Amino acid sequence: MKKIILGKKEENTKYYFRETCFGIVYKNDKFYLTSKNGEISLIGGGLEKGEDHIECLKREFMEEAGLTIIDYSEFITIDCFWLTRDNDNMESLANFYIIEVSDKIENPTEVISKLELVDKSEILSKLPLPYHKEAIKIYIEQFLNK
């Protein structure tokens, strides 16, 4: 998987580290996102102990969106150094996959999550996380702007 670095790691700075996996779903001219407590993001999240990337994605897709993954391909890894809204220094190692989901949508197993379908023209304004925006920009350039 191609890896890029977003942001700059400052010397003598402590970073909180989290490895995550996210899926990019573009189906019927819509991006599939999730909303939790009003915060929108790509579907995915942090790896749990002993979990590989695909197990994480399958779990997160069912928890957050009620979706079953039927196919996937590696896309990009972004190692992002950023400042959270709580002013914490964060290093997020985010692995992005292109995901195909079944047409059947179930209720998410996380009761606070909700599936959101977003147009290409709106997606960048909806995503607050810098590494999500970067992954979507690259996806649009490679697959939708041809």
Side-chain angles (χ1 to χ4, degrees), residues 33-122:
L33 305 177
T34 189
S35 167
K36 285 191 232 178
N37 299 320
E39 196 167 291
I40 292 180
S41 74
L42 292 171
I43 302 167
L47 288 165
E48 292 185 354
K49 188 174 182 171
E51 210 173 37
D52 67 26
H53 290 185
I54 304 310
E55 290 168 334
C56 175
L57 285 168
K58 287 179 178 180
R59 176 182 52 76
E60 293 284 358
F61 267 68
M62 188 51 66
E63 285 178 358
E64 295 181 354
L67 295 169
T68 301
I69 294 173
I70 57 174
D71 200 9
Y72 60 88
S73 60
E74 294 181 343
F75 181 53
I76 193 166
T77 296
I78 299 177
D79 195 0
C80 182
F81 300 92
W82 60 292
L83 192 61
T84 69
R85 72 172 149 231
D86 296 327
N87 288 323
D88 293 322
N89 292 301
M90 187 80 188
E91 178 183 3
S92 296
L93 183 62
N95 304 283
F96 294 90
Y97 288 78
I98 298 170
I99 302 293
E100 184 181 342
V101 294
S102 69
D103 289 331
K104 182 180 178 188
I105 300 173
E106 300 177 30
N107 288 327
T109 56
E110 265 184 9
V111 294
I112 62 168
S113 295
K114 179 182 165 204
L115 178 64
E116 301 277 346
L117 304 180
V118 176
D119 289 326
K120 172 185 158 185
S121 62
E122 296 179 291

Side-chain angles (χ1 to χ4, degrees), residues 116-133:
E116 301 277 346
L117 304 180
V118 176
D119 289 326
K120 172 185 158 185
S121 62
E122 296 179 291
I123 189 162
L124 292 175
S125 67
K126 299 265 185 188
L127 294 171
L129 296 174
Y131 51 98
H132 285 201
K133 284 185 184 205

